[in-house]
């Protein structure tokens, strides 16, 4: 792992960042010998250095950047080290898990859009499926599941399930928030289902009935084509 500083940080902060990223690579068993870590105050500094397109929206303090030749992780220490320890760790875990996903053709096939499927819906469900895939990678490690539980915002999911109408947009929103589904997909059905049951407790509406059916299908047929086709079938009339 090579570390390149685009901004100066204290030795103490730099060592904390190094410890976090080395921990994440070790826990997820991802080789780090060809990883380049940039220390910056803005991810666009790294993009400029690599000749990549800049973005204007706000981003996480840790950002994986995939190029044809290099595997880059850009880190903003001033933002990362302000977080609670579990928040910094799950953020780092997710970016390293993304590295693992992007190196595995089988994992890529679960969420990447086939050439024959080109519309706005498939793009949005692809992003939601990618989130679930990244969390599946983490949830397969028993020692790391607690980080997912700690970051699971049950209130956000409950609010979506309560306020949503039975529409495609709402189903994709719920899927993107559905960390319990990733835990179920990783093989821990008891824990994942318990978290899901807690999230839906007391909710009874048309959307939750349809989404519960949809998530069961996705769990049993976890790939983008199946999810996309079933999503349209379940919600196309809404």
């Amino acid at each position: 792992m090579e570390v390149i500083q685009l901004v100066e940080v204290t030795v103490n902060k730099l060592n904390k960042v190094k410890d976090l990223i080395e921990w994440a690579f070790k826990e997820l068993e991802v080789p780090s010998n060809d990883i380049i870590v940039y220390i910056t105050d803005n991810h666009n500094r790294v993009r400029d250095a690599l000749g990549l397109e800049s973005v204007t929206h706000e981003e996480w303090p840790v950002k994986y950047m995939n190029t044809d030749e290099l595997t880059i992780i850009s880190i903003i220490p001033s933002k990362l080290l302000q977080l609670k320890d579990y928040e910094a760790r799950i953020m780092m875990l997710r970016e390293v898990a993304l590295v693992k996903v992007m190196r595995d053709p089988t994992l890529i096939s679960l969420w990447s859009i086939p050439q024959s499927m080109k519309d706005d819906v498939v793009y949005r469900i692809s992003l939601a499926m990618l989130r679930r895939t990244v969390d599946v990678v983490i949830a397969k490690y028993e020692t790391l599941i607690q980080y997912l539980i700690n970051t699971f915002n049950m209130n956000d999911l409950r609010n979506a399930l309560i306020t949503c109408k039975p529409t495609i947009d709402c189903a994709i929103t719920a899927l993107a928030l559905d960390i319990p589904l990733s835990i179920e997909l990783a093989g821990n059905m008891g824990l994942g289902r318990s978290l899901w049951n807690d999230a839906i407790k007391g909710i009874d509406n048309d959307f939750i009935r349809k989404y519960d059916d949809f998530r069961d299908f996705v769990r049993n047929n976890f790939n983008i084509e199946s999810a996309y086709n079933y999503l349209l079938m379940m919600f196309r009339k809404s």
Side-chain angles (χ1 to χ4, degrees):
M1 182 184 299
E2 181 182 357
V3 178
I4 298 174
Q5 288 185 246
L6 297 183
V7 294
E8 290 296 323
V9 297
T10 66
V11 173
N12 183 48
K13 288 183 177 180
L14 184 60
N15 287 337
K16 286 182 178 180
V17 168
K18 286 181 178 179
D19 287 345
L20 275 173
I21 195 165
E22 288 172 357
W23 167 83
F25 273 99
K26 181 179 179 181
E27 290 293 316
L28 290 172
E29 302 175 296
V30 178
S32 61
N33 54 301
D34 60 344
I35 302 294
I36 299 177
V37 176
Y38 279 87
I39 304 298
T40 185
D41 58 356
N42 187 316
H43 295 310
N44 282 333
R45 284 181 182 265
V46 179
R47 291 189 176 92
D48 289 344
L50 298 172
L52 303 176
E53 185 177 352
S54 297
V55 296
T56 56
H57 59 78
E58 185 178 354
E59 296 178 288
W60 298 115
V62 183
K63 179 65 179 176
Y64 162 71
M65 299 181 188
N66 186 34
T67 71
D68 292 336
E69 300 177 355
L70 302 171
T71 300
I72 305 295
I73 293 183
S74 176
I75 301 176
I76 304 175
S78 60
K79 293 183 178 180
L80 180 67
L81 298 178
Q82 288 178 351
L83 300 174
K84 295 177 182 177
D85 182 69
Y86 79 87
E87 292 173 329
R89 289 183 184 275
I90 191 62
M91 192 171 289
M92 195 70 78
L93 284 170
R94 280 178 166 150
E95 295 308 305
V96 174
L98 183 55
V99 173
K100 193 168 189 173
V101 167
M102 296 301 291
R103 290 179 173 181
D104 187 329
T106 300
L107 293 175
I108 289 175
S109 69
L110 297 177
W111 61 271
S112 62
I113 303 172
Q115 290 186 348
S116 60
M117 301 169 67
K118 297 293 182 183
D119 63 32
D120 183 54
V121 171
V122 77
Y123 174 74
R124 285 181 285 133
I125 199 170
S126 171
L127 293 177
M129 293 285 283
L130 175 57
R131 286 191 180 191
R132 298 285 58 81
T133 302
V134 165
D135 284 352
V136 166
V137 169
I138 297 170
K140 285 184 177 294
Y141 293 84
E142 188 174 342
T143 57
L144 301 178
I145 288 180
Q146 190 60 47
Y147 291 103
L148 286 177
I149 296 172
N150 290 346
T151 199
F152 172 46
N153 193 322
M154 187 180 297
N155 287 333
D156 280 355
L157 180 56
R158 278 186 62 83
N159 288 339
L161 298 175
I162 290 170
T163 60
C164 265
K165 304 298 181 183
T167 64
I168 287 173
D169 284 347
C170 278
I172 295 173
T173 296
L175 181 63
L177 295 170
D178 199 346
I179 290 176
L181 178 58
S182 287
I183 294 174
E184 293 176 43
L185 285 162
N188 198 329
M189 284 294 297
L191 176 58
R193 197 68 196 179
S194 176
L195 290 170
W196 171 246
N197 287 338
D198 287 343
I200 66 173
K201 188 175 181 179
I203 303 175
D204 184 16
N205 57 34
D206 288 342
F207 176 70
I208 190 64
R209 286 188 288 272
K210 282 194 171 186
Y211 180 72
D212 202 17
D213 185 322
F214 173 67
R215 81 186 295 274
D216 281 347
F217 179 85
V218 170
R219 185 181 60 247
N220 294 320
N221 305 272
F222 191 71
N223 65 78
I224 188 169
E225 290 189 63
S226 296
Y228 173 80
N229 290 330
Y230 201 75
L231 178 74
L232 294 185
M233 185 188 76
M234 286 290 295
F235 295 95
R236 67 176 181 270
K237 295 180 181 179
S238 303

